[in-house]
Amino acid sequence: MPKILIVGGGYAGFYTALKLEKWLRHGEAEVTVVDPLPYMTYQPFLPEVAAGSIEPRHAVVALRKHLKKTRVVTAKVTNISHATKTATITPAVGEPWEETYDQIVVTAGSVSRTFPIPGVADEAIGLKSIEEAIDIRDRVLANFEKASNLPAGPERDRLLTVVVVGGGFAGIETFGELRSLASSLLKSYPSISMDDTHFHLIEAMGRIMPEVSLPTSHWVLKNLAQRGAEVHLDTQLKSAVGGVIELSTGESFESDLIIWTAGVMANPVLRDTDLPTEERGRLRVQPDLRVINDDGIVADAWGAGDVSAVPDLTGKGVGGFCVPNAQHAVRQGKVMAKNIVAVMRGESPAEYRHDNLGAVAGLGLGYGAFQSGKIAITGLPAWAMHRGYHGLAIPMWERKIRVFGNWAFNLVLGRDNVGISARETPRAYFEAFASRPRAAAAPAPEASSTLPTPDKAPDAPVYANPAQ
């Protein structure tokens, strides 16, 4: 039976496997998905997870639960040799092994792209994973708890200062959602006022959200300013050493939470492969999602999602390629599954083309922005559109129901503002009070042969020290 190996279980990989299960005949091929995590993360929900509007587990989709006919391997692919059609699989526990395949599908996604700015690698956190979103939420809540016990001063300001680097959709949504979370916390902390909280977004360009029109981006800036959040345009982060933020404008302040959303890059797994890549490290593919090199099509190799440079046939993509977002990755996965089946059956594959109908962003409870051509909608209607679209877009109906149910409960009961920061050291409480065996008593020293033997009865104990 032909073997199809899918590298990466994100949007594109998950939907490729899901649709292959639907369209492949019984026994036509064996499909394997390899990913370090046992779930795919719906990344558009990460800002709301960080703000406590969505339960973290509701923003991920378990691979094994929904891929019934697919072999799921929780491990890393550390090398791909397409010349020999083998991939090295490295699990978290155990020895690596070589996996053979007949066709390979590379959908390994992207990772945060950073620059060698002092302090960023040591102090900042990204927002590409559910784990990062949970940590951000717990950090905000824990910092409010700590700050409420402190008098006004530098340490209190540091705890109540949040910095987001990057003014694209991910950065702006994260910034707006966290501002909304902080505002909702104020009523629970009488000792902290709105003026005590400080939110800074740093953007190197002269505008935010290039996917929307300039007037719409100006509305977003005005809305954030009215909510006590400051956006620094035409500004670069120069240093973050020790949490001290130094900007290219000369401004400086301290922060205990620095969030990096200033771009992504293709998963570095492609560095250990003989598959062709372009100058930005992405897999080279043509519009039908087959891998290509200078000589043409690379047989039995496919790519989609953020890890691939997929041509945008609408002409609207940056540099002529599809932008790395969930909309494209989901649709590319579906098209790729159809094309794989078509090629296996001797049919012609179809080209991927998607004309984006618009962009929508959530900026916190009740605030949003939507842009489609010249049509712009802002405020509460756009926020409702954002929730409606993404609530329906997350894969699988059981997840859609959980998400909409979560929102409905929050509407009635309010946002759940409980942080569990101790989850990072869950055994600390047990260890603090756990009983341990007493240390064994040190053995008595042996009698010295140089000491005289006392005049005692034959069966009386003899001590090395006469004082005993």
Side-chain angles (χ1 to χ4, degrees), residues 160-171:
L160 297 176
T161 298
V162 175
V163 174
V164 176
V165 184
F169 257 63

Side-chain angles (χ1 to χ4, degrees), residues 11-316:
Y11 306 114
F14 176 79
Y15 271 98
T16 299
L18 192 67
K19 296 306 178 182
L20 283 174
E21 288 190 351
K22 178 180 179 181
W23 292 319
L24 285 171
R25 303 186 188 104
H26 178 70
E28 192 170 7
E30 175 188 312
V31 181
T32 298
V33 172
V34 183
D35 194 280
L37 299 172
Y39 50 79
M40 70 148 283
T41 302
Y42 190 70
Q43 292 182 1
F45 278 158
L46 292 183
E48 288 205 56
V49 171
S53 297
I54 292 180
E55 164 63 29
R57 285 182 176 84
H58 297 171
V60 300
V61 180
L63 299 179
R64 296 178 188 275
K65 181 174 183 177
H66 297 289
L67 298 178
K68 303 293 188 181
K69 304 175 185 178
T70 301
R71 174 183 168 223
V72 176
V73 178
T74 305
K76 292 181 179 180
V77 174
T78 52
N79 182 269
I80 300 171
S81 173
H82 194 60
T84 59
K85 290 192 174 181
T86 58
T88 303
I89 313 297
T90 305
V93 178
E95 295 298 320
W97 73 88
E98 297 297 314
E99 185 89 11
T100 60
Y101 62 82
D102 295 289
Q103 298 202 47
I104 191 164
V105 177
V106 182
T107 54
S110 60
V111 298
S112 295
R113 180 193 63 176
T114 59
F115 306 104
I117 300 171
V120 167
D122 300 317
E123 302 291 340
I125 185 172
L127 193 59
K128 288 284 291 176
S129 70
I130 196 71
E131 293 82 4
E132 290 173 320
I134 295 170
D135 187 71
I136 289 170
R137 177 175 180 262
D138 285 346
R139 182 87 66 87
V140 171
L141 296 172
N143 284 358
F144 262 76
E145 291 287 352
K146 295 173 185 176
S148 66
N149 296 324
L150 295 175
E155 182 58 27
R156 193 170 189 258
D157 289 341
R158 178 189 177 96
L159 291 170
L160 297 176
T161 298
V162 175
V163 174
V164 176
V165 184
F169 257 63
I172 289 295
E173 288 192 317
T174 301
F175 194 57
E177 289 288 353
L178 292 181
R179 175 68 269 184
S180 178
L181 169 62
S183 298
S184 72
L185 290 174
L186 294 177
K187 60 180 178 291
S188 300
Y189 296 90
S191 61
I192 301 175
S193 69
M194 186 76 166
D195 293 337
D196 293 327
T197 60
H198 312 285
F199 279 74
H200 299 270
L201 184 136
I202 303 166
E203 171 53 49
M205 296 176 61
R207 61 161 299 175
I208 59 170
M209 304 170 69
E211 298 89 347
V212 304
S213 67
L214 203 56
T216 302
S217 71
H218 288 166
W219 180 90
V220 173
L221 289 173
K222 181 179 178 181
N223 174 265
L224 291 171
Q226 291 172 342
R227 294 160 59 193
E230 184 176 358
V231 177
H232 304 260
L233 298 178
D234 291 314
T235 304
Q236 295 181 353
L237 176 64
K238 305 297 289 185
S239 175
V241 175
V244 179
I245 304 298
E246 296 181 9
L247 305 180
S248 58
T249 58
E251 296 175 79
S252 179
F253 47 86
E254 293 189 36
S255 173
D256 191 62
L257 179 55
I258 306 165
I259 305 167
W260 183 273
T261 63
V264 297
M265 66 178 184
N267 194 309
V269 68
L270 290 179
R271 298 172 186 171
D272 297 305
T273 173
D274 56 357
L275 293 170
T277 58
E278 41 94 81
E279 61 273 10
R280 293 182 59 186
R282 297 176 297 179
L283 191 64
R284 292 177 60 187
V285 300
Q286 61 183 23
D288 63 8
L289 305 176
R290 286 186 285 186
V291 176
I292 56 172
N293 57 23
D294 293 339
D295 298 323
I297 295 172
V298 176
D300 303 323
W302 305 79
D306 295 3
V307 78
S308 301
V310 180
D312 190 338
L313 299 182
T314 68
K316 298 178 182 178

Side-chain angles (χ1 to χ4, degrees), residues 237-437:
L237 176 64
K238 305 297 289 185
S239 175
V241 175
V244 179
I245 304 298
E246 296 181 9
L247 305 180
S248 58
T249 58
E251 296 175 79
S252 179
F253 47 86
E254 293 189 36
S255 173
D256 191 62
L257 179 55
I258 306 165
I259 305 167
W260 183 273
T261 63
V264 297
M265 66 178 184
N267 194 309
V269 68
L270 290 179
R271 298 172 186 171
D272 297 305
T273 173
D274 56 357
L275 293 170
T277 58
E278 41 94 81
E279 61 273 10
R280 293 182 59 186
R282 297 176 297 179
L283 191 64
R284 292 177 60 187
V285 300
Q286 61 183 23
D288 63 8
L289 305 176
R290 286 186 285 186
V291 176
I292 56 172
N293 57 23
D294 293 339
D295 298 323
I297 295 172
V298 176
D300 303 323
W302 305 79
D306 295 3
V307 78
S308 301
V310 180
D312 190 338
L313 299 182
T314 68
K316 298 178 182 178
V318 178
F321 298 102
C322 295
V323 296
N325 63 23
Q327 287 189 45
H328 282 305
V330 168
R331 289 172 173 83
Q332 288 168 10
K334 295 177 181 179
V335 171
M336 186 159 57
K338 284 186 177 181
N339 286 350
I340 291 171
V341 174
V343 170
M344 289 176 63
R345 296 173 182 172
E347 302 169 3
S348 299
E351 293 184 333
Y352 172 75
R353 179 189 177 96
H354 173 62
D355 199 349
N356 195 353
L357 298 178
V360 62
L363 308 171
L365 289 178
Y367 302 104
F370 169 80
Q371 185 80 46
S372 179
K374 295 183 179 180
I375 301 174
I377 301 173
T378 57
L380 183 61
W383 173 78
M385 293 169 66
H386 173 269
R387 283 206 160 178
Y389 172 78
H390 285 296
L392 292 173
I394 188 171
M396 317 314 296
W397 275 104
E398 62 99 5
R399 273 306 184 253
K400 301 180 200 295
I401 293 170
R402 291 179 191 274
V403 168
F404 279 110
N406 204 159
W407 285 334
F409 281 124
N410 285 354
L411 184 64
V412 176
L413 304 174
R415 194 197 311 252
D416 190 344
N417 289 333
V418 176
I420 311 177
S421 56
R423 63 180 172 75
E424 296 180 5
T425 53
R427 294 190 66 251
Y429 190 81
F430 177 81
E431 287 181 294
F433 302 102
S435 298
R436 291 176 170 82

